Amino acid sequence: MTRRQQIETNLTAVRERIETACTAAGRSSDEVTLIVVTKFHPASDIAHLVDLGVTDIGENRDQEAGVKIAELDPATRAALTVHFVGQLQTNKAKNVVAYADCVQSVDRPKLVGALDRAMADRQNPYQKAGGTSETRTKIGVLLQVDLGEGEDARRGGILPDQVPDLADAVGEREHLTLRGVMAVAPFGLDEAGTAAAFGRLADLAEAVRERHPEATIRSAGMSGDLEIAIASGATHLRVGTAILGSRPDPR
């Protein structure tokens, strides 16, 4: 079996899981965007994904992602929305805004400022989907929320009671667009616990959207818990292993 065939088989299986979960939840699968997390996998895999109809990918290591995205041919890049989903140091903000369309891991005011300044400093034209070129003046961001209750369950992100202030801080920035919230299920939870955690994210998402109507994204769910995320109202899923297989050793 070729690499493309492997990816196609896995992608079909995940799409079927999404369809089944949406039906069970009384939702349309059109409401759910699949982000394929391509960390540690080569640019050739991204090309296969685009050929198979994938429109969104996720990367979480700047050093790897910048090189990989630059390797894509212009048509492949133009067809993609690139999400940065990993923890981000402020000194890497300038790098990330050069290739990402959305940063899903905003978790502190200092990073909000760094991303805004990095976008303000950008002068290079940006290739939009469809092939047109223009200078991009804004980048989308999601607030990463820590849903863990207790230190052992932490997965990174801002604490829930800090979300309103950080959302307002993003909303005040000229070069950022608040798109919504993101979370990873806390460690050590069973299905009921994961559902409860994603329910807390749903409540936070609605509170944020009341103040910031453009913040419609709720990014939750990965290979092992995407069905629970869909039942909890997730709009975006971040799936890597179930589609691309185990990650190879970092290069």
Side-chain angles (χ1 to χ4, degrees):
M1 183 180 292
T2 66
R3 178 60 174 160
R4 185 188 187 282
Q5 289 170 332
Q6 291 174 342
I7 293 173
E8 183 175 19
T9 297
N10 293 342
L11 181 61
T12 298
V14 168
R15 285 171 168 164
E16 290 174 352
R17 287 176 62 189
I18 292 171
E19 188 72 40
T20 299
C22 285
T23 299
R27 302 178 63 190
S28 167
S29 59
D30 292 340
E31 300 174 21
V32 179
T33 298
L34 173 62
I35 302 170
V36 181
V37 179
T38 49
K39 175 185 176 181
F40 293 151
H41 292 281
S44 58
D45 279 2
I46 299 175
H48 290 317
L49 289 166
V50 171
D51 191 47
L52 293 166
V54 169
T55 58
D56 294 69
I57 65 165
E59 288 283 337
N60 63 357
R61 297 199 320 156
D62 170 60
Q63 184 175 2
E64 173 193 350
V67 173
K68 189 187 303 183
I69 300 304
E71 292 176 2
L72 300 175
D73 67 69
T76 298
R77 175 62 187 94
L80 282 173
T81 298
V82 177
H83 302 257
F84 189 83
V85 299
Q87 296 301 302
L88 181 59
Q89 298 175 348
T90 55
N91 63 355
K92 299 293 185 180
K94 184 176 180 179
N95 297 346
V96 170
V97 302
Y99 59 79
D101 301 291
C102 182
V103 178
Q104 292 204 10
S105 50
V106 173
D107 59 359
R108 58 198 187 280
K110 188 175 180 179
L111 182 55
V112 170
L115 287 168
D116 186 62
R117 289 190 297 273
M119 281 303 301
D121 291 342
R122 277 190 58 77
Q123 299 294 328
N124 296 330
Y126 175 68
Q127 289 293 325
K128 295 175 61 181
T132 59
S133 179
E134 66 178 30
T135 300
R136 182 179 54 158
T137 59
K138 290 193 173 187
I139 189 169
V141 302
L142 306 185
L143 306 185
Q144 181 174 355
V145 184
D146 188 340
L147 299 174
E149 297 183 326
E151 290 300 323
D152 292 342
R154 301 296 186 203
R155 294 298 294 264
I158 192 169
L159 295 177
D161 62 359
Q162 298 172 322
V163 167
D165 286 345
L166 191 62
D168 290 346
V170 173
E172 293 169 357
R173 294 289 179 162
E174 180 180 357
H175 302 285
L176 306 181
T177 299
L178 182 62
R179 300 294 310 282
V181 295
M182 180 270 267
V184 181
F187 289 112
L189 298 183
D190 58 13
E191 289 188 8
T194 299
F198 286 158
R200 295 195 295 275
L201 183 68
D203 292 341
L204 285 167
E206 289 304 312
V208 169
R209 191 164 62 175
E210 287 181 4
R211 295 171 64 90
H212 303 275
E214 74 281 6
T216 58
I217 292 177
R218 196 183 309 168
S219 177
M222 300 190 294
S223 294
D225 57 16
L226 66 85
E227 287 86 357
I228 301 172
I230 289 171
S232 301
T235 64
H236 288 61
L237 309 170
R238 307 179 308 277
V239 180
T241 303
I243 295 171
L244 297 177
S246 298
R247 293 165 175 165
D249 292 334
R251 293 171 292 176

